[in-house]
Amino acid sequence: MLWSRHILLPWLLSSVSMYIVSYLWHGLALTDLQELTIPLGLYLALAGMVYLVIGLALTIGTHKAVQYEYISLKGPFPFTAALIGAALGFFVYLVIFVLGMTFTKHGMMHVVVDIVWQMFEQGIGGLAVSLGIIWDMHKRFLEQERAN
């Protein structure tokens, strides 16, 4: 089941989109990647693995929410999936904050900016999951129409 299109596509789409947005923020907008204490290649590889885990959690969580009808595909599904992503981003930031793994110095303003950014980044991942699910549903519909 994990390797089927309805899981694999949203998972990879969300992971790649969050990874790219993270790189744009930390690498281009800020100078965080220049201040790393570990090699850049190692950081990028570890970040890629973390985003794969976050993307999988977001994909499975969104699928389960649809399955158990906590969210509906009839309403603003992409927006709702982005909110699920933002909620996951809040949780991920809490874990990062408790473990002390952050790029910024510990000031209240930095904490607020970090948490808003994390929620935005994972919200983009949730949006990507919803678009992957919608595309897969459209593709299935077309395949069923061709079969009939």
Side-chain angles (χ1 to χ4, degrees), residues 3 13 127 137:
W3 300 112
L13 188 61
L127 180 64
M137 289 172 32

Side-chain angles (χ1 to χ4, degrees), residues 100-126:
M101 298 182 297
T102 182
F103 282 114
T104 59
K105 310 296 181 265
H106 291 289
M108 193 58 182
M109 183 62 172
H110 293 291
V111 170
V112 170
V113 169
D114 275 351
I115 200 162
V116 168
W117 172 254
Q118 197 72 30
M119 291 173 71
F120 172 77
E121 188 178 284
Q122 263 60 281
I124 294 293

Side-chain angles (χ1 to χ4, degrees), residues 67-80:
Q67 178 184 359
Y68 293 120
E69 298 179 359
Y70 298 137
I71 60 175
S72 172
L73 296 175
K74 296 177 183 176
F77 175 62
F79 177 72
T80 308

Side-chain angles (χ1 to χ4, degrees), residues 4-141:
S4 63
R5 183 180 68 201
H6 77 281
I7 296 290
L8 191 62
L9 176 71
W11 173 25
L12 294 179
L13 188 61
S14 69
S15 297
V16 169
S17 65
M18 289 185 293
Y19 187 81
I20 289 171
V21 168
S22 174
Y23 182 80
L24 291 174
W25 175 255
H26 292 291
L28 300 178
L30 304 176
T31 59
D32 292 338
L33 297 183
Q34 296 170 357
E35 300 169 4
L36 288 175
T37 57
I38 62 172
L40 180 62
L42 177 62
Y43 169 77
L44 293 175
L46 292 173
M49 287 189 283
V50 167
Y51 282 113
L52 283 172
V53 171
I54 292 172
L56 182 61
L58 193 51
T59 300
I60 291 173
T62 304
H63 272 284
K64 290 297 180 186
V66 169
Q67 178 184 359
Y68 293 120
E69 298 179 359
Y70 298 137
I71 60 175
S72 172
L73 296 175
K74 296 177 183 176
F77 175 62
F79 177 72
T80 308
L83 286 178
I84 291 172
L88 181 64
F90 182 77
F91 176 74
V92 166
Y93 184 76
L94 289 179
V95 171
I96 290 170
F97 187 72
V98 167
L99 295 177
M101 298 182 297
T102 182
F103 282 114
T104 59
K105 310 296 181 265
H106 291 289
M108 193 58 182
M109 183 62 172
H110 293 291
V111 170
V112 170
V113 169
D114 275 351
I115 200 162
V116 168
W117 172 254
Q118 197 72 30
M119 291 173 71
F120 172 77
E121 188 178 284
Q122 263 60 281
I124 294 293
L127 180 64
V129 167
S130 72
L131 296 177
I133 291 172
I134 290 169
W135 183 84
D136 180 59
M137 289 172 32
H138 177 70
K139 191 81 168 163
R140 281 188 200 186
F141 174 76

